[in-house]
Amino acid sequence: MTNDDKPLPRVELYTDGACSGNPGPGGWGYVLRHPGTGKEVEASGAEAATTNNRMELQAVIEGLRVLKKPAHVELWSDSQYVGKGVSEWMKGWKRNGWMRKAGNKMEPVKNVEQWKELDGLLERHEVSFHWIRGHNGHPENERCDQMAVEAYRRLAAS
């Protein structure tokens, strides 16, 4: 709810990341939909040398960045890394200064700058994470995957 108790607008965000090699060229894609109006926005991008997890995170960041006002976001992703990070791990990472336990020592969280940016975006919105099985015929997930792959292929060809 917002400060004046009006419900937040509800949007659906579908995301995916892809990588050719890990690390290697990678891409991200998202579909953002406002069910109330039927309006839909999609975008994609790529990096020359990255990892699949970075691209999964970047897809979510890019999708949340375009929202101009706070919203209730139904986030759909096939990335357990993103899902567990958001719902299980991030609170502990923040408490530990963005460090994570690795065996019997602490080390910096991987992709920490992206996690910090995502954390700031999550503070602005109410986000509910939903995991979907990748490459299983889910139309929006398949579309996001297609956009991510096309993005890194375009980058590799240029």
Side-chain angles (χ1 to χ4, degrees):
M1 294 291 209
T2 60
N3 289 344
D4 53 6
D5 289 333
K6 290 183 184 170
L8 293 174
R10 184 179 163 277
V11 297
E12 298 170 350
L13 176 60
Y14 301 90
T15 66
D16 200 18
C19 215
S20 180
N22 202 20
W28 54 266
Y30 71 78
V31 173
L32 182 63
R33 180 180 299 138
H34 185 273
T37 64
K39 184 178 178 188
E40 193 169 283
V41 176
E42 58 182 45
S44 61
E47 293 182 20
T50 189
T51 64
N52 192 68
N53 282 343
R54 284 185 60 80
M55 293 295 90
E56 295 284 0
L57 276 169
Q58 198 63 39
V60 176
I61 289 167
E62 297 292 341
L64 292 174
R65 267 189 195 155
V66 301
L67 295 171
K68 304 291 185 235
K69 297 179 183 174
H72 177 82
V73 181
E74 297 288 338
L75 170 60
W76 300 83
S77 173
D78 63 8
S79 172
Q80 298 229 7
Y81 175 69
V82 170
K84 288 183 178 184
V86 167
S87 61
E88 297 176 28
W89 304 331
M90 195 181 301
K91 186 184 282 185
W93 291 340
K94 289 168 59 174
R95 185 178 55 246
N96 293 323
W98 294 98
M99 301 289 282
R100 68 181 191 92
K101 196 164 186 166
N104 55 1
K105 62 180 181 148
M106 297 296 281
E107 66 181 31
V109 169
K110 291 181 171 134
N111 306 310
V112 69
E113 292 308 314
Q114 284 180 301
W115 282 112
K116 286 180 178 181
E117 184 172 2
L118 181 56
D119 183 44
L121 291 164
L122 293 173
E123 287 177 8
R124 180 179 164 110
H125 305 287
E126 291 179 6
V127 178
S128 299
F129 179 82
H130 306 279
W131 180 78
I132 50 178
R133 185 173 302 281
H135 310 288
N136 204 33
H138 187 281
E140 289 85 0
N141 181 255
E142 296 292 340
R143 176 67 184 134
C144 291
D145 180 65
Q146 177 187 15
M147 289 188 301
V149 170
E150 287 173 359
Y152 79 66
R153 286 183 177 162
R154 273 193 312 271
L155 179 67
S158 63

